[in-house]
Amino acid sequence: MNDAASAPTPAPAPRKRARVRAPELIGKGGWLNTGGKELTLADLRGKCVVVDFWTFCCINCLHVLDELRELEEKHRDTVVIIGVHSPKFVHEAEHAAVVDAVERYEVHHPVLDDPELATWKQYAVRAWPTLVVIDPEGYVVAQHAGEGHAHAIERLVEELEAEHGAKGTLRRGDGPYVAPEPVATDLRFPGKAVVLPSGNLLVSDSTRHQLVELAADGESVVRRIGSGERGFGPQAFSEPQGLALLPDGRVVVADTVNHALRVFDPATGAVETVAGTGRQWWQGSPTSGPALEVDLSSPWDVAWWQGRVWIAMAGVHQLWTWDPEAGTVAVAAGTTNEGLVDGPAAEAWFAQPSGLAAADDRLWIADSETSALRYVEPEGEGYAVRSAVGTGLFDFGHRDGAAAQALLQHPLGVTALPDGSVAVCDTYNHALRRYDPATGQVTTLATDLREPSDAVLVGEDIVVVESARHRLTRLRLPEEAVRVDAVAHRTQRAATEVAPGTLRLDVVFQAPAGQKLDTRYGPSTRLLVSSTPPELLAAGEGAGTDLFRDLELNPEVAEGVLHVSAMAASCDDDPSNEYPACHVHQQDWGVPVTVTPTGAARLPLVLAGLDG
């Protein structure tokens, strides 16, 4: 080996970055996963800190938790990930619910419980999820909204390690994470259940990555299916959720974090993959084709209806179908835009559909983020989507009565009842509700359930999956409803004050270091804008390829929500590489706005980078 070959390669000069001091991390709920210690930014000095603003209802936030696991492990001696839990729903502001969510989703880093959104406001965050990178000297160096940024953050972390290692400001060693004590229960945050032909119950034991067969009593464990470790092998699952009985007695499983459908045969114990690749679907990927060749995105529930398995594809706000005979999957309803829009299936908007129940003429849907009960029904030669209960992304509560004014709070499960009505697992209200299409009335069947996520009929009883109590609870279907005091809520997020007239919308995107916008096949960016109510925008709605736009606000509408969806594709900037790696960055924002003369004339939304 000669001297020239062994000489170290000079480190590249660090990129010049903006120097913005990171605000302190404060939250009334205190810290989790720290062994009881209160953390400050001073305690984290010398580490590369990634602050993850999340809320546990949000499927995109759950995707980011999974994206960060590899970074967390690979750079464990230099990187500290800090979760800042910033609630959307009232239930998510309860400290016990945050404690449950941290265990449920295997969050292995410190989490600050910020029920009043104090740190969210200090960092001017506008969307779930948002990631902020703080360098070892305590300065903010990057901000990313949405999913798909793990590769960019890892590249930035490697730059920070080199830069601060050379300066002597990098501190290696263990971080502040302290694992909580494990708890022994037969089930741990179970998700869904189904009655087997034997009369036994099969339950998705989501946090333990297993299926559990229980005897007809709903308590005695008959067997466990799966290794109990997160994985994608013949005997492994990753946070399984929905279950549906096929006509041949086998069970199709929504293997949520594996982005796949599996089939379990109770007779043989065999598990096989029937749809999905194990990779998450991204914009531009195929939306139909051979089932084992098409990517899926967080399938949350499944139901057998009209000769196919319907899939609540929570990760992309759509319904898909799997045809076992043809071995194919296809989009059945939804555009991937998040919201509540009814109409022809191909034009409808959903928001994390998470529960399905088949009736003869309808497929009922628990559309969780809009706190809505919806359904699909045949119309002409296709299907149409209708809403029975719910009004949109930001209105929720617990109110019975006429369906048009009734309120739910993030329901995850729905069950068709023998009389034609529907039971709804009103998850964040800890209640079982009922909607009767014949009368158009919503009532409450039971309260004091803890995060009910599914329910199945067993004779004259209904068995409810009490996810946060780690058990099944058997109830006699009551003839009379429970009376509750009505309560209505709107999300705690403060509305952004904007000036009347022209509002400049800027989506900030800076390609990660070593990458450039991918323009080989045309524009690499996309922007879609709409509003609720539609009358809020006099001009500026619709799709385009620029990440900026002038919006004209209607002077007769004082408040509403701007819906903004942005996507950018970047590729490695290496002319010598014929097949550069490419990455998609995307985020949907729902921005509540109030029109006021003293409001801002510009609305910046950071997709990646920092707003100059």
Side-chain angles (χ1 to χ4, degrees), residues 7 13 34 90 114 121 132 153 187 189 192 305 457 576 588 602:
T34 63
V90 169
D114 183 18
K121 295 170 186 172
V132 175
I153 291 175
L187 301 173
F189 299 104
K192 306 285 186 180
W305 188 58
L457 291 172
S576 65
D588 294 337
R602 176 176 177 264

Side-chain angles (χ1 to χ4, degrees), residues 334-481:
T335 66
T336 76
N337 293 318
E338 184 178 15
L340 194 156
V341 176
D342 290 339
E347 301 171 14
W349 291 22
F350 297 95
Q352 278 178 230
S354 300
L356 299 175
D360 290 339
D361 56 346
R362 289 180 177 177
L363 179 71
W364 293 97
I365 306 154
D367 202 29
S368 62
E369 278 294 287
T370 53
S371 298
L373 172 65
R374 306 176 73 186
Y375 59 91
V376 175
E377 63 181 358
E379 182 176 83
E381 296 183 0
Y383 295 94
V385 177
R386 314 277 186 227
S387 295
V389 182
T391 58
L393 285 165
F394 299 106
D395 294 293
F396 54 91
H398 191 149
R399 186 163 64 199
D400 288 333
Q405 56 86 51
L407 293 172
L408 309 169
Q409 186 180 178
H410 198 79
L412 291 179
V414 61
T415 307
L417 299 179
D419 64 358
S421 66
V422 185
V424 179
C425 287
D426 194 5
T427 309
Y428 288 3
N429 280 328
H430 312 299
L432 188 67
R433 312 285 292 283
R434 177 176 177 263
Y435 167 68
D436 186 352
T439 63
Q441 294 290 305
V442 175
T443 53
T444 298
L445 297 178
T447 58
D448 193 31
L449 301 167
R450 188 69 182 170
E451 292 193 16
S453 55
D454 196 20
V456 292
L457 291 172
V458 180
E460 296 183 355
D461 296 338
I462 188 165
V463 175
V464 179
V465 179
E466 275 198 273
S467 189
R469 283 200 178 113
H470 321 292
R471 71 186 189 192
L472 304 187
T473 298
R474 187 180 296 263
L475 304 172
R476 180 57 55 93
L477 271 175
E479 293 182 7
E480 295 186 6

Side-chain angles (χ1 to χ4, degrees), residues 59-60 63 147 280-283 287 295-299 312-320 331 333-338 348-353 586 588:
I59 190 67
N60 311 92
H63 289 168
E147 305 176 48
Q280 183 182 339
W281 186 94
W282 289 97
Q283 290 286 353
T287 55
D295 299 338
L296 308 181
S297 182
S298 297
M313 202 72 78
V316 286
H317 318 299
Q318 290 180 312
L319 302 182
W320 288 42
V331 172
T335 66
T336 76
N337 293 318
E338 184 178 15
W349 291 22
F350 297 95
Q352 278 178 230
Q586 64 185 48
D588 294 337

Side-chain angles (χ1 to χ4, degrees), residues 94 179 208 387 401 443 482 497 560:
E94 298 174 15
R208 294 214 176 109
S387 295
T443 53
V482 176
E497 294 188 350

